[in-house]
Amino acid sequence: MTDLVQLTRDNGIAVITINNPPVNALSPGVPEGISEALDQIALDDSVKAVVLIGGGRTFVAGADIKEFGKMTSGRTRGAGLLPLLLKMEDSTKPLIVAIHGTAFGGGLELAMAGHYRVAVSSAQVGQPEVKLGIIPGAAGTQRLPRLAGVAKAVEMCTTGNPIKAEEALKFGIVDRIIDGDLLTGALAFAREVAAKPAPKTRERNEKLGNAADNAQIFSSARETVAKKQRGLLAPAAAIEAVEAATKLPFEEGCKTEQKLFIECLFSEQSKSLIHVFFSEREVNKIPDIPKETAVIPMKSAAVVGAGTMGGGIAMVLANAGIPVLLKEADPTALDRGLATIQLNYANSVKRGRFSQQVAEDRLKRITPTLTYDDFSKVDLVIEAVFEGMALKKEVFKELDRVCKPGTILASNTSTLSIDEIASSTSRPEFVIGTHFFSPANVMRLLEIVRGKATSKEVIATCMQLSKTIGKIGVLVGNCRGFVGNRMFGPYRREAQFLVEEGAGIEAVDKALSDFGMAMGPLATGDLAGLDVGWRIRKEYRHLEVPGIRQPFTEDSLCELGRYGQKTGAGWYKYDDQRRATLDPLVDELIRKWVAEAGVPQRQISAQEITDRCLYALVNEGARILEEGYALRASDIDIIYLNGYGFPAYRGGPMWYADTVGLKQVYERVSEFQRHHGEIWRPAPLLKRLADEGKTFADFGKEEGAAA
Ligand code: 3HC
Ligand code: NAI
């Protein structure tokens, strides 16, 4: 037996324990270990039934995802799990699978090959493969409909979302919920069924439904995935595989599943989504801040400013159980801020997200105030007042005076220097940027901005806090716009240039939406408010280098009071439901403005639109990486996936560039430089990696840049 699997005996019941920390993935050695244990059990007449259980914090969280890269690069191609699962199912001694933690992917497939399943009530089961761009590859699409019915199997395999033990019991995936110790309960269950025949899941066809009902389930599922999982290949493949279960004998169904699984596994989408899986975990690893770094206990917080962002941030903290003081400058603003929060909670209750009671509990955790009186008690303050250095410094000076030593002073600024803000305090080591995205209670991204004096404990605490509040925290350096917005500038600049050179507004948005962006860049501008960038540009106009081309359409729209959705008109016009339509007037105005400015007009292809916008992102991303404002290319990807609607199946802008090939990206950027001038000068890192035949992913590994 391998050391990843142990076989013990308990009064006539064999216990197979999988011990492959941290999540008992089915790495090489685990299937072999289970198989050997089954061989020994078959020869042992004293054993009447078998319990299969996971050691440590969970049952099996799935196949070992690291192995997929080896398979696609041709380094390994094992037999897969199917033979082991048949062997388990063919065992003449009843096999009971005992589940705690998560039985995900290959873990659930393993469990379904047992004859019975028991679980603790906190356990979850699921087929999350679509989130990795694949489908279940060990008969999950064939056994799950046999246990749970076709509709539930389709839902679980297409969304990838797990279900809790109670629901799994209701749908027949689990046979009993165990209260108390899982192994004790599983052993008792094993004794009950030891003398009974062992039912094989693959032979249980009674839940496979009839052709007419199934046709309805599959067609409505296909419609849903086309709408909700736009551009993704795996969900449709999952439906096809479950459909095979309803139409073909088990063995044939497995062959169909295998074919689809391999097609998905070798797709660019799957490689990108696997990159996303590991990058989301990598983001927590900060080279100079070890995991053991002490964190500051976070029992209470305060937010300054109850506007768009402050209100959302207060909700996020309250939702996570942290009591929060919410301070405003005057009673009118405070009332307005509180009314928005109340409305948000009421809407969530109306939509069934949580109960009235939960909403009330959350609201009770937010204490409105007009003074700093109770700030001396809190562990964290997040400032979200108007964007202006003088005001921020004034607020921080006051915070420094009223807060106890050790309180973290964070700013939600989106453009200002954290170091300069920190300079107004006597404790710059406790000052940090926590850059939330709008709406703060919805968007998952949190850029954590490290000032030059910010202490490691403060960074570690904010990284941990991001998890507590359900965000994905990414550590970035203190440069203008930090990482996300610094890259977004050139991206939106190119979108405007394209319009000024003759591309249609809709054509620009459609090209990027077809690429997979949640929204086109011009529609995004309308949503965020065109005036935000306009005001910033006005403030920084003195820094513009003469002779460098600047876009002008958005500023001209703002001068006409067209700020986007909030004024009912921007690039598009909006009805009272905020539905966008093209406005012929804007088109007319733009043609007039460009004629006055003498910008030559031409036909522009969708390819040029996507290349110009995306490579503008990538070129700036390369500078950020080289300058050390992001720790690794994959951190930039995570920022774009969670804050800017970049499609996960493209892996993020830097990964996307790697998949295109940096030589090709560099050549295209150089071509843009020849046509459009210095703003397109290729980033030195892009040139070097292209010359050396390397990728952005290699850069992280070769040098380990530091933010
Ligand atoms: N394979 C390899 N490594 C895995 C893994 C897996 N299936 N699941 C988790 N890990 C690793 C993580 O990368 C992480 O490593 P690190 O500490 O070096 O960063 C470590 O295990 C702990 O993972 P998390 O930080 O995610 O721990 P959590 O406790 O937050 O979450 C979990 C645990 C819910 C199990 C989560 O890890 C998860 O969702 N894992 C993936 C589950 C999955 O997608 N399974 C399907 C795999 S595909 C498959 O089974 C194909 C089959 O059909 C043939
Ligand atoms: P906002 O204008 O909606 O809200 C600012 C609030 O601060 C106002 O309600 C104002 O009354 C209050 N305020 C001003 N001075 C105060 C003081 N001394 N004490 C208490 N309250 C005071 O602004 P918004 O959009 O919420 O922005 C806040 C900060 O968040 C800014 O730094 C902005 O750059 C940043 N940010 C904004 C994003 C957005 O999309 N709106 C996204 C990410 C960051």
Side-chain angles (χ1 to χ4, degrees):
M1 195 127 347
T2 65
D3 52 7
L4 301 174
V5 178
Q6 285 82 44
L7 173 61
T8 52
R9 286 170 184 77
D10 184 306
N11 256 333
I13 311 290
V15 179
I16 306 175
T17 309
I18 303 168
N19 267 310
N20 183 23
V23 295
N24 288 329
L26 296 166
S27 318
V30 175
E32 293 81 354
I34 299 171
S35 180
E36 273 176 49
L38 290 172
D39 290 340
Q40 290 187 22
I41 290 164
L43 298 173
D44 185 344
D45 286 342
S46 71
V47 172
K48 303 295 176 219
V50 188
V51 169
L52 174 65
I53 194 166
R57 70 189 215 212
T58 180
F59 185 65
V60 173
D64 185 337
I65 301 169
K66 290 195 276 303
E67 292 298 307
F68 292 146
K70 296 182 198 161
M71 277 171 80
T72 47
S73 61
R75 277 174 286 154
T76 58
R77 181 78 182 93
L81 286 173
L82 288 172
L84 170 68
L85 304 193
L86 288 176
K87 183 171 179 174
M88 286 167 61
E89 210 168 36
D90 286 340
S91 158
T92 51
K93 303 179 184 187
L95 196 162
I96 295 90
V97 180
I99 304 170
H100 70 302
T102 50
F104 281 177
L108 179 56
E109 291 170 307
L110 187 74
M112 291 191 294
H115 305 115
Y116 301 95
R117 284 145 297 278
V118 298
V120 290
S121 62
S122 57
Q124 296 188 63
V125 305
Q127 298 285 176
E129 286 88 344
V130 282
K131 296 188 177 173
L132 301 171
I134 53 175
I135 66 166
T141 61
Q142 308 301 299
R143 286 196 179 88
L144 189 56
R146 287 176 160 85
L147 287 181
V150 177
K152 193 70 190 167
V154 167
E155 180 197 311
M156 288 175 68
C157 293
T158 54
T159 64
N161 294 335
I163 59 171
K164 300 213 170 95
E166 208 53 63
E167 194 176 349
L169 177 73
K170 187 175 126 207
F171 280 93
I173 302 170
V174 160
D175 300 291
R176 183 178 294 173
I177 305 283
I178 303 288
D179 297 322
D181 180 61
L182 177 63
L183 181 57
T184 311
L187 287 168
F189 187 95
R191 293 200 169 91
E192 281 173 40
V193 297
K196 294 191 184 159
K200 295 178 187 174
T201 307
R202 69 176 191 267
E203 289 174 0
R204 293 168 60 175
N205 294 340
E206 67 278 5
K207 284 196 179 174
L208 288 179
N210 63 58
D213 290 350
N214 288 343
Q216 181 59 40
I217 293 170
F218 297 129
S219 76
S220 92
R222 287 194 167 100
E223 252 173 59
T224 309
V225 303
K227 237 186 275 156
K228 292 202 175 156
Q229 289 160 297
R230 187 169 63 96
L232 282 173
L233 303 171
I239 298 172
E240 196 178 333
V242 178
E243 192 170 23
T246 65
K247 292 187 170 161
L248 301 172
F250 179 81
E251 293 69 23
E252 293 303 310
C254 287
K255 282 188 197 149
T256 302
E257 184 196 78
Q258 270 308 291
K259 183 180 137 283
L260 291 163
F261 170 76
I262 294 293
E263 274 171 27
C264 288
L265 184 64
F266 279 78
S267 69
E268 216 46 76
Q269 289 197 355
S270 168
K271 289 177 198 157
S272 300
L273 287 163
I274 289 173
H275 158 73
V276 174
F277 176 84
F278 286 115
S279 302
E280 277 194 4
R281 281 143 185 92
E282 188 80 7
V283 102
N284 298 309
K285 294 170 191 156
I286 301 164
D288 69 331
I289 304 184
K291 257 202 334 230
E292 314 69 62
T293 306
V295 294
I296 300 163
M298 194 57 57
K299 295 199 203 74
S300 64
V303 173
V304 188
T308 313
M309 297 305 290
I313 297 168
M315 288 174 72
V316 165
L317 293 165
N319 297 352
I322 302 172
V324 48
L325 292 170
L326 180 58
K327 181 196 177 288
E328 251 301 340
D330 62 70
T332 322
L334 189 55
D335 288 348
R336 196 179 338 113
L338 281 174
T340 308
I341 293 174
Q342 277 159 348
L343 187 69
N344 276 329
Y345 279 137
N347 281 339
S348 296
V349 172
K350 220 188 281 166
R351 290 200 197 103
R353 295 225 178 91
F354 43 76
S355 68
Q356 179 66 28
Q357 187 58 50
V358 169
E360 278 168 26
D361 292 346
R362 290 177 176 188
L363 199 55
K364 257 189 252 152
R365 285 189 205 113
I366 302 176
T367 308
T369 175
L370 291 169
T371 69
Y372 286 112
D373 287 354
D374 288 323
F375 274 52
S376 58
K377 299 185 193 118
V378 301
D379 302 308
L380 163 76
V381 182
I382 300 179
E383 164 279 311
V385 302
F386 301 129
E387 187 79 342
M389 186 53 93
L391 175 63
K392 303 255 182 207
K393 279 178 142 175
E394 199 184 294
V395 169
F396 271 74
K397 199 168 162 210
E398 191 60 12
L399 292 175
D400 187 34
R401 195 178 65 76
V402 296
C403 294
K404 66 180 185 211
T407 297
I408 297 177
L409 307 182
S411 174
N412 187 51
T413 177
S414 38
T415 52
L416 302 173
S417 164
I418 295 301
D419 291 333
E420 195 176 340
I421 294 174
S423 73
S424 65
T425 73
S426 64
R427 50 172 119 181
E429 65 280 18
F430 283 94
V431 178
I432 192 164
T434 49
H435 183 210
F436 288 79
F437 286 70
S438 181
N441 51 323
V442 176
M443 298 295 286
R444 232 182 128 212
L445 177 62
L446 179 62
E447 274 186 333
I448 295 176
V449 190
R450 178 178 202 165
K452 65 176 184 300
T454 314
S455 81
K456 294 181 182 182
E457 288 75 14
V458 168
I459 295 169
T461 306
C462 289
M463 291 298 289
Q464 196 193 56
L465 177 73
S466 67
K467 285 194 189 157
T468 314
I469 60 177
K471 305 283 176 206
I472 179 149
V474 184
L475 186 66
V476 299
N478 179 35
C479 58
R480 206 177 122 204
F482 312 125
V483 170
N485 286 346
R486 176 170 159 188
M487 288 166 68
F488 209 50
Y491 170 78
R492 295 206 64 260
R493 173 199 74 203
E494 286 307 309
Q496 288 189 67
F497 280 163
L498 286 157
V499 171
E500 291 169 14
E501 289 164 32
I505 294 169
E506 235 180 359
V508 170
D509 277 348
K510 181 171 183 313
L512 285 142
S513 153
D514 286 351
F515 172 82
M517 297 298 290
M519 263 180 146
L522 304 175
T524 307
D526 274 359
L527 176 69
L530 301 181
D531 56 316
V532 178
W534 180 47
R535 286 180 218 285
I536 294 171
R537 280 190 296 276
K538 280 202 282 197
E539 198 170 325
Y540 288 100
R541 194 129 289 161
H542 63 284
L543 296 178
E544 281 173 10
V545 182
I548 299 272
R549 181 181 169 194
Q550 298 292 339
F552 55 81
T553 21
E554 248 172 40
D555 291 354
S556 306
L557 288 171
C558 286
E559 273 150 25
L560 296 174
R562 300 183 69 112
Y563 294 172
Q565 292 195 13
K566 60 176 133 179
T567 55
W571 287 101
Y572 298 88
K573 60 180 175 189
Y574 296 88
D575 63 16
D576 49 9
Q577 305 290 310
R578 297 206 162 190
R579 268 183 307 239
T581 43
L582 271 181
D583 188 343
L585 174 69
V586 175
D587 211 42
E588 229 173 82
L589 284 170
I590 291 171
R591 295 309 134 214
K592 181 170 138 297
W593 293 333
V594 295
E596 283 164 9
V599 186
Q601 299 295 290
R602 63 196 170 86
Q603 286 283 328
I604 297 176
S605 68
Q607 183 68 51
E608 180 178 343
I609 294 171
T610 45
D611 284 356
R612 291 252 309 259
C613 292
L614 295 169
Y615 294 168
L617 273 183
V618 171
N619 203 34
E620 195 63 32
R623 288 186 204 284
I624 288 173
L625 199 55
E626 189 163 31
E627 290 163 14
Y629 291 111
L631 277 170
R632 35 200 163 227
S634 59
D635 283 12
I636 299 179
D637 289 335
I638 292 301
I639 287 174
Y640 263 77
L641 300 173
N642 293 286
Y644 295 86
F646 202 95
Y649 64 81
R650 303 253 193 204
M654 308 313 276
W655 176 264
Y656 169 68
D658 281 350
T659 62
V660 171
L662 294 191
K663 186 166 177 297
Q664 193 179 319
V665 175
Y666 169 72
E667 281 165 4
R668 192 82 165 125
V669 169
S670 304
E671 186 190 329
F672 293 149
Q673 186 191 17
R674 286 193 295 277
H675 286 109
H676 304 286
E678 274 311 280
I679 43 172
W680 274 104
R681 173 176 290 281
L685 178 66
L686 173 62
K687 180 175 183 336
R688 175 165 79 70
L689 293 174
D691 286 346
E692 291 172 2
K694 288 188 175 159
T695 61
F696 287 126
D698 291 330
F699 175 71
K701 281 166 209 134
E702 68 184 2
E703 7 236 305

